[in-house]
Amino acid sequence: MKRIVSSVLLISLIVSCLCSCANQKERYTETYLEYFDTASTIVGFEFDAEVFDKNCDFIEAQLEEYNKLYDIYKSYQDVNNIRTINKNAGKEPVKVDKKIIDLLDYCIELYKTTKGKTNVALGSVLSIWHDYRNMYSEDAEGAKLPPMEDLKAAAQHTDINNIIIDRENSTVFLSDENMSLDVGAVAKGYATEQIAKALEEKGITNYTLNIGGNIRTIGPKGDGTPWITAVSMSDIAGNGENPVKVELAGQAFVTSGTYQRFYTVDGVDYHHIIDPETLMPKFDFISISVCCADSGLADALSTATFNMTLEEGKTFINSLEGVEAMWITADGEIHYSDKFSEIIYEK
Ligand code: ADP
Ligand code: MG
């Protein structure tokens, strides 16, 4: 009798194990290198590889489209993009896709939220820094800083009110011929958010989009537990251990850092986030990570807080509902906003 009971138990254990295995979603990943000048990695949990592939095709098509529309450096056949708007500054309004109008509307709203610290109309100043970075990134010996008088002259042409949007005719006009748009601080995060929302509308869940460090999670992992993400550059001790990990289930997590785009002049690294007041990079931080529901907002805030002091940034982030941030200062200290501890993963 005892034997029969234990055999029955064993069989039911095997059956329930098989059932739960069949019910379990598998983890799949895909990476693209063609968009937004960075790597895009998609992780998703599905029962079926074909469903994952189909969803990736959808995501890739969207990435391709947003990348073309928001590009400031390249033109594409039959597409009016941000570069087309810049080329027509002071000349004529440019007919554009609604996705460009929506992005610029959002950027103008963010300019207000960030008190001007993230300004997409700063293109004339940013392009000077971009050119110097490109010119001297391989030439630490001869590297020079852009002359302050050039930066100041360019800064005369950064008024965000000169972006004239005509929603009815779907056109954008830059009314100052010397101004230009640079959407680098927001476009990646904004596009990521739009793609994530489109996936959510299709009922898709258990995915993470990581578009060059702009992380947007869609639901938790396949087993219902949160995604665990190591904060890039929190390994400041350089010992391969990442002391800060966060748990995400549906939110965005975006990091801006000084370590990817910079050039060196007289032994000093000049990075790519420029304070609109001083027209120079600030040297207070190595990285700032922002967590909130919306990846476009997180992207803009991680750039904006770079242009604030630690105290200003903390007060600013703590004043925003549902937004948390983590700062790594130049001397390696880690600071958190008031409720950041709620998303820290502790083993
Ligand atoms: P990344 O895109 O490298 O992850 P960010 O989101 O912080 O980093 O964006 C940095 C980019 O934003 C710069 O390369 C530049 O194009 C643009 N940028 C730099 N400073 C500002 C600023 N004060 N306001 C708006 N855009 C900026
Ligand atoms: Mg940003």
Side-chain angles (χ1 to χ4, degrees):
M1 184 59 188
K2 223 175 176 182
R3 235 181 163 164
I4 296 175
V5 171
S6 61
S7 306
V8 168
L9 275 177
L10 188 68
I11 290 166
S12 59
L13 196 71
I14 292 169
V15 168
S16 79
C17 198
L18 283 175
C19 286
S20 76
C21 286
N23 277 332
Q24 212 150 25
K25 285 183 167 181
E26 295 272 336
R27 182 181 190 275
Y28 299 98
T29 71
E30 179 67 271
T31 297
Y32 305 107
L33 300 174
E34 294 86 351
Y35 311 111
F36 290 103
D37 198 19
T38 189
S40 305
T41 300
I42 300 156
V43 183
F45 285 84
E46 290 289 359
F47 293 113
D48 191 336
E50 267 176 42
V51 177
F52 179 75
D53 290 345
K54 202 179 85 209
N55 289 336
C56 284
D57 289 347
F58 171 78
I59 295 166
E60 188 185 12
Q62 297 266 307
L63 280 172
E64 189 181 354
E65 186 182 2
Y66 279 107
N67 178 52
K68 274 186 193 166
L69 291 173
Y70 297 167
D71 207 322
I72 64 170
Y73 299 114
K74 271 193 245 155
S75 299
Y76 301 85
Q77 227 176 0
D78 304 328
V79 178
N80 284 342
N81 63 7
I82 303 279
R83 181 174 151 88
T84 324
I85 298 173
N86 285 342
K87 284 172 121 184
N88 285 284
K91 292 182 194 143
E92 59 182 354
V94 178
K95 194 150 190 98
V96 290
D97 191 290
K98 186 172 176 296
K99 290 185 173 75
I100 290 186
I101 306 242
D102 291 346
L103 169 73
L104 294 180
D105 269 341
Y106 191 55
C107 290
I108 292 166
E109 188 186 320
L110 288 169
Y111 176 85
K112 292 170 196 152
T113 313
T114 64
K115 303 174 179 80
K117 298 290 185 186
T118 304
N119 178 9
V120 288
L122 206 61
S124 54
V125 171
L126 296 174
S127 68
I128 296 177
W129 278 105
H130 183 262
D131 291 347
Y132 272 73
R133 215 166 41 241
N134 274 0
M135 226 170 355
Y136 295 120
S137 60
E138 304 290 323
D139 177 15
E141 295 280 289
K144 292 186 185 64
L145 287 179
M148 186 43 80
E149 65 255 38
D150 291 6
L151 294 171
K152 280 190 174 159
Q156 300 304 307
H157 305 283
T158 56
D159 186 347
I160 200 157
N161 295 310
N162 289 333
I163 306 176
I164 314 296
I165 297 176
D166 180 342
R167 267 165 220 85
E168 221 160 89
N169 293 307
S170 201
T171 63
V172 178
F173 176 53
L174 304 183
S175 61
D176 174 347
E177 65 174 337
N178 292 313
M179 84 185 277
S180 66
L181 302 174
D182 181 330
V183 293
V186 189
K188 233 185 317 155
Y190 179 84
T192 307
E193 184 62 28
Q194 302 318 304
I195 299 170
K197 279 192 183 133
L199 292 171
E200 283 167 347
E201 269 163 31
K202 285 164 163 275
I204 292 164
T205 186
N206 312 136
Y207 276 65
T208 285
L209 309 178
N210 182 347
I211 314 300
N214 281 252
I215 296 169
R216 170 64 150 83
T217 58
I218 302 162
K221 288 195 292 187
D223 62 1
T225 61
W227 305 86
I228 314 292
T229 302
V231 178
S232 27
M233 282 309 282
S234 56
D235 175 23
I236 37 174
N239 59 8
E241 278 184 23
N242 217 318
V244 186
K245 294 193 174 83
V246 295
E247 294 186 327
L248 304 170
Q251 314 94 307
F253 191 80
V254 177
T255 300
S256 283
T258 59
Y259 42 87
Q260 265 166 344
R261 289 177 214 244
F262 66 88
Y263 78 118
T264 310
V265 184
D266 295 332
V268 179
D269 293 342
Y270 290 83
H271 63 83
H272 67 324
I273 300 175
I274 303 301
D275 182 346
E277 270 167 48
T278 62
L279 309 178
M280 299 285 289
K282 268 173 94 80
F283 300 104
D284 300 16
F285 311 108
I286 294 173
S287 76
I288 302 176
S289 305
V290 174
C291 181
C292 63
D294 186 303
S295 124
L297 179 63
D299 196 359
L301 296 181
S302 68
T303 309
T305 42
F306 245 96
N307 298 322
M308 301 178 188
T309 64
L310 177 63
E311 286 317 310
E312 280 168 353
K314 273 191 182 171
T315 308
F316 175 58
I317 294 290
N318 286 331
S319 75
L320 301 172
E321 188 69 32
V323 182
E324 298 302 326
M326 168 183 152
W327 292 255
I328 302 181
T329 63
D331 46 15
E333 284 174 18
I334 299 182
H335 293 264
Y336 302 109
S337 61
D338 284 352
K339 291 189 202 147
F340 193 91
S341 61
E342 289 176 9
I343 58 161
I344 289 183
Y345 169 72
E346 301 195 40
K347 270 181 274 181

